[in-house]
Amino acid sequence: MTATETRTTTALDIADVTLTYPDGMSRLTALDRVSLRVTGGTVAAITGPSGSGKSSLLAVASTLIRPDSGHITLETPSGTTDLATVSRREAAVLRRSSIGIVFQQPNLIPALTAREQLEVMIHLGQRVYTPASKRRETRDKATELLESVGLTDQQSKRPAQLSGGQRQRVNIARALMNDPSLLVIDEPTSALDTERGAAIIDLILTVARTHHAATLLVTHDQTHLHRMNAVYHLLDGHLTQTTR
Ligand code: ADP
Ligand code: MG
């Protein structure tokens, strides 16, 4: 099979997913039989008011929370996995190998430079000493990714020396270190002004395509929705596709 043919197999398929949380004596339904499919290289935008279940959807899609029922199938060139039923241990392995997660707040480590924020990703879960060749490869990859997000001159800066937009770029570059098949991004522009927010949306659309990641993007930003491959709306845990 050619590279192009192989690539078409990357997709996230969410089917009939329900998630409830304990709520006093009863349960609160955060996701109510939600279904959606997003393929590699495309971006599905998720909109909806606060409390409608957007972050919960990203959490189940990225194995952080197991849903009550339904299937979440991650199809990659190397195989197919149901994320709704994997064990905690398998889920942790998958998050390291195949899933990139970008939260609203960058959660960068204050003492590390931009490049080091990316380099540490490779050491997570490693029980053995990392050989020098691997460390060089990691460093080169971190440099390349920081360049691709427009931070060529900021690689040696620590979070306090970066602007909010630059920190969010580091956050996005870090999520790409493991070449994720699935990228989930939660309101990345909420702390940014319009112009910087627009540049981050541009960047997300570009990285989803160039890295061929199936991308779920939660956003409040109405101005960019026409550029997304699909737009969904969540209301009280019910997902509907918006016609554009
Ligand atoms: P959004 O991201 O759209 O604001 P969330 O997914 O954070 O929505 O929340 C959806 C609903 O689930 C809300 O009513 C929220 O209060 C509730 N919720 C979220 N996380 C938890 C939790 N860990 N425990 C209990 N309820 C939660
Ligand atoms: Mg949220």
Side-chain angles (χ1 to χ4, degrees), residues 45-64:
I46 317 288
T47 62
S50 179
S52 59
K54 305 181 297 298
S55 295
S56 298
L57 178 58
L58 296 194
V60 295
S62 58
T63 76
L64 295 171

Side-chain angles (χ1 to χ4, degrees), residues 95-108:
R95 286 197 300 275
R96 282 199 296 272
S97 65
S98 311
I99 303 174
I101 303 176
V102 177
F103 292 117
Q104 203 164 347
Q105 296 301 329
N107 293 318
L108 300 175

Side-chain angles (χ1 to χ4, degrees), residues 204-241:
I204 290 164
L205 288 163
T206 305
V207 300
R209 271 159 216 158
T210 54
H211 292 262
H212 207 74
T215 303
L216 287 181
L217 169 66
V218 168
T219 180
H220 275 311
D221 197 337
Q222 299 290 321
T223 53
H224 300 287
L225 293 181
H226 66 282
R227 301 168 64 201
M228 305 295 161
N229 299 93
V231 179
Y232 293 88
H233 191 70
L234 253 179
L235 192 61
D236 294 335
H238 293 275
L239 188 80
T240 45
Q241 187 162 6

